[in-house]
Amino acid sequence: MSLEKLGTYPVDGAQARKRGDLVKVAKSDRLNIVSGRDHPVLVQFCVSSDYMHVGELTIPVGGVGPRASEPDSHEGDAVFYVLQGPATFYLADTDETFHIRDGESFFLPGGISYQCLNYGSNPIRVVFTIAPGL
């Protein structure tokens, strides 16, 4: 699967809403993308539509210093929920750092530049929802 499916995975949102489609997405059916050239991380999308993106971010360990996602920002608000952490969110615009533990969530307003960092000795897993179209 590829980047061309972002925004229309697993089905086109507008068509699905019009027809009332319900779609099951098993873990094995997620849209898997390795994101980042300098800091590759695994992003698995369950849904990527014109209204929302829902998925899981996995940041491995290793290398020099912490592993991190590339700097990113989104038009819409985002919520991150840490399944396996802790995860550290760095906000470049305000030079703030937030440490989020397992079972905790983090709200990020749209348009804020951020990175998710792994300072630990185990991979981190974070579930996210981004609402660009609402």
Side-chain angles (χ1 to χ4, degrees), residues 90-96 112-115:
Y90 172 69
L91 310 184
D93 298 338
T94 59
D95 196 29
E96 291 179 281
I112 303 291
S113 179
Y114 71 95
Q115 280 183 280

Side-chain angles (χ1 to χ4, degrees), residues 51-70:
Y51 273 19
M52 67 188 302
H53 306 287
V54 177
E56 184 176 324
L57 169 67
T58 302
I59 300 180
V61 297
V64 177
R67 291 293 295 261
S69 63
E70 299 282 335

Side-chain angles (χ1 to χ4, degrees), residues 9 11 28 36-37 47 77 85 87-88 96 110:
Y9 185 81
V11 295
S28 61
R37 183 172 26 162
V47 173
D77 296 342
T88 300
E96 291 179 281

Side-chain angles (χ1 to χ4, degrees), residues 8-115:
T8 60
Y9 185 81
V11 295
D12 179 85
Q15 290 177 8
R17 287 187 296 277
K18 185 177 180 181
R19 294 190 308 244
D21 288 348
L22 301 175
V23 180
K24 176 185 174 185
V25 180
K27 188 167 186 167
S28 61
D29 296 328
R30 291 179 181 178
L31 177 60
N32 295 309
I33 296 174
V34 175
S35 177
R37 183 172 26 162
D38 296 327
H39 307 283
V41 297
L42 176 61
V43 183
Q44 297 179 302
F45 287 90
C46 301
V47 173
S48 177
S49 73
D50 52 337
Y51 273 19
M52 67 188 302
H53 306 287
V54 177
E56 184 176 324
L57 169 67
T58 302
I59 300 180
V61 297
V64 177
R67 291 293 295 261
S69 63
E70 299 282 335
D72 202 357
S73 67
H74 313 282
E75 272 185 40
D77 296 342
V79 174
F80 299 89
Y81 178 82
V82 177
L83 294 172
Q84 179 183 341
T88 300
F89 286 86
Y90 172 69
L91 310 184
D93 298 338
T94 59
D95 196 29
E96 291 179 281
T97 303
F98 297 88
H99 303 285
I100 313 302
R101 293 185 217 124
D102 294 9
E104 294 181 339
S105 57
F106 181 67
F107 172 77
L108 183 68
I112 303 291
S113 179
Y114 71 95
Q115 280 183 280

